[in-house]
Amino acid sequence: MSARDTSDAGTPGVRRATWAALRARRAAVARLAGWSAVEALPALLSGALVARAVDGGFLAGRLGAGLGWLAALGAAVLVGAVATGRTYRSLGAVVEPFRDDLAARVVRAALHDATRPGGRPDSAAAARLTHQVELVRDTFAGLLMVTRGFLFAAGAALIGLLALDPVVAALVAAPLVAGVVVFLAALPAMAGQQRRYVRAGEELGRAASAALAGHRDVRACGAAGRVVADVGARVADQAAAERTLARMAAVRSLSLGLGGWLPLAVLLLAAPWLVDRGLTAGAVLGALVYVSTGLQPALHALVQGVGGGGLRYVVTLDRILRTCPDEAGEPPVGRPDAAPVPPDDGTPAVCARGLTFRYGVAARPVLDDAGVTLAAGEHLAVVGPSGAGKSTLAALLSGLLAPQAGTVRLGGVPVADAPPEAQARLRVLVPQEAYVFTGSLADNLRYLRPDADDATVTAALDALGAGPLAARLGGLAGEVTPAALSAGERQLIAAVRAYLSPAPLVLLDEATCHLDPPTEARVEEAFARRPGTLVVIAHRISSAVRARRVLVLDGARPVLGTHEELLARSATYRELVGHWDDQPTAAARS
């Protein structure tokens, strides 16, 4: 085990997160403390009332008085029981919002990792969300309960002992403090073992997930034995960590023996001496009650709770804080530096240089030293045979893919350095498979521009010819059900959403392939009139003819020019134009 495994390096972050959660809910914490004080009433009165019942009642031959004092103790227990129920209600007001904050943090971090340039989905994110966050919630609640229980119950018992006799309180406090000190001294080692256990569980989940996802490939290449051995090693690591944790229970038992049982033995051994110096039998019995029903259970709950759930809380929360930085390291929305704005000084809208990208280390490059520069307001169509890299180029320009070589700047801003939030303000990409979600049409259309008023949205619908679709759905308030829409209708909604976006660059990656030619023409013409720059991955010759310039990708060096220039210069382009021109004739014959 490394030094990092056994260190308490994560504790400061955990402390800050815990105190922040408590400070944010001061009112709920105050209610919890208030009801805990009421709940501790039996612990405060038990020994004193028992002493009075014995000395002033039973030993004095006054049965009624003794029973009266015990009845008062029973009433205090009932009051404490009512307060116990109230403490759980106050506990939920502290714990549940903390759990929601952590869940949101995990989701934000997972989305950030999956959407950043070159990022990929995190297979451990689901484990953190479904297991680790719930574990933190449960252990945080348990930790609060046992800590406040120990503070109030042990404090009440010690106050009661002081009231009986300060010497008795000193005899009890000495071994109690020794037990607590031993326990606290062992906590760092316990935390290290717990951290090792959590990490082993996460590694096991990752290995098992990868093995299950690729089991067909594993069997096909004959690697089943090696994969089984790898997963088996992860299982063994987790089992070893869990066995070590179980052995740490001996330290907790030692703490309980010192702080919980040794005070009882000290009181029993010192009882004759205490009586000789004037302590009554009832006071001795009351002291035993304070220790056996107040201090001992409180210490037992603290040691078991902190030694078990508390360690899990510290290590698991530390793991979440380390793997899910706050806001995924991004500046908050609305800050001036959240999304750089392209300068309006003649800087090219798109400047891509030396782009090289391959899907696999040994694969042939899809793009090799490709580049393109577009002025603000330009309209470019990208054409080429299937597999030439058209969609790859769109993904590189939008920042969804990171090139193995080369750079992309949008309005002078390096895409590689811009977080997803900033990229969203620089460009909008509409893929071939349009995404719409269940909800109102207005919510779908305003997704990239929440502040757009109804008049602006309606104008966008009319500009792209989507007015009839909106009317059929019931207007802006109409409900959108994705499965009930055709592929073309989904593309039209996604196109209007992109049209409303404030991003200065629009990338249409065959985003109109399911639309009929007249509607496609209207959509592209609307985007061409829209302020900003337009890049269209074309699938019809009409898209290339409408564009100001055309970029041809054919596996060699890209060729850029107007429609007429490329007809004269590019054999690939002439072949594509001929193929596109033949499609309607072939369809008519069939």
Coordinates of all heavy atoms in Angstrom, one line a residue, residues 76 268 339 357 364 556 560 566-567:
A76 N -39.5 11.5 32.2 CA -38.3 12.1 31.5 C -38.0 11.2 30.3 O -37.7 11.7 29.2 CB -37.1 12.2 32.4
L268 N -17.0 0.0 40.8 CA -17.3 -1.1 41.7 C -16.1 -1.3 42.7 O -16.3 -1.6 43.9 CB -17.5 -2.4 40.9 CG -18.8 -2.4 40.1 CD1 -18.9 -3.6 39.2 CD2 -20.0 -2.4 41.0
A339 N -17.4 32.3 -21.2 CA -17.4 31.9 -22.6 C -16.8 33.1 -23.4 O -17.4 34.2 -23.5 CB -18.8 31.6 -23.1
F357 N -6.4 13.4 -38.1 CA -7.2 12.6 -37.2 C -7.4 11.2 -37.7 O -7.6 11.0 -38.9 CB -8.6 13.2 -37.0 CG -9.4 12.5 -35.9 CD1 -9.3 12.8 -34.6 CD2 -10.3 11.5 -36.3 CE1 -10.0 12.2 -33.6 CE2 -11.0 10.8 -35.3 CZ -10.8 11.1 -34.0
R364 N -5.5 4.3 -40.9 CA -5.2 5.3 -41.9 C -5.9 6.6 -41.5 O -7.0 6.6 -41.1 CB -5.7 4.9 -43.2 CG -5.5 5.9 -44.3 CD -6.1 5.4 -45.7 NE -7.5 5.3 -45.5 CZ -8.4 6.3 -45.7 NH1 -7.9 7.5 -45.9 NH2 -9.7 6.1 -45.6
A556 N -7.4 12.7 -50.5 CA -6.2 13.4 -50.8 C -6.2 14.8 -50.2 O -7.0 15.0 -49.2 CB -6.0 13.5 -52.3
L560 N -10.7 23.4 -52.4 CA -11.6 24.5 -52.1 C -11.9 25.4 -53.3 O -10.9 25.8 -54.0 CB -11.1 25.3 -50.9 CG -12.0 26.4 -50.3 CD1 -13.2 25.8 -49.7 CD2 -11.2 27.2 -49.3
L566 N -14.8 24.3 -59.1 CA -14.6 22.8 -58.8 C -15.0 21.9 -60.0 O -14.4 20.9 -60.2 CB -15.3 22.5 -57.5 CG -14.7 23.1 -56.3 CD1 -15.6 22.8 -55.1 CD2 -13.3 22.7 -56.0
L567 N -16.0 22.3 -60.7 CA -16.4 21.5 -61.9 C -15.2 21.5 -62.9 O -15.0 20.5 -63.6 CB -17.6 22.2 -62.6 CG -19.0 21.9 -61.9 CD1 -20.1 22.7 -62.6 CD2 -19.3 20.4 -61.8

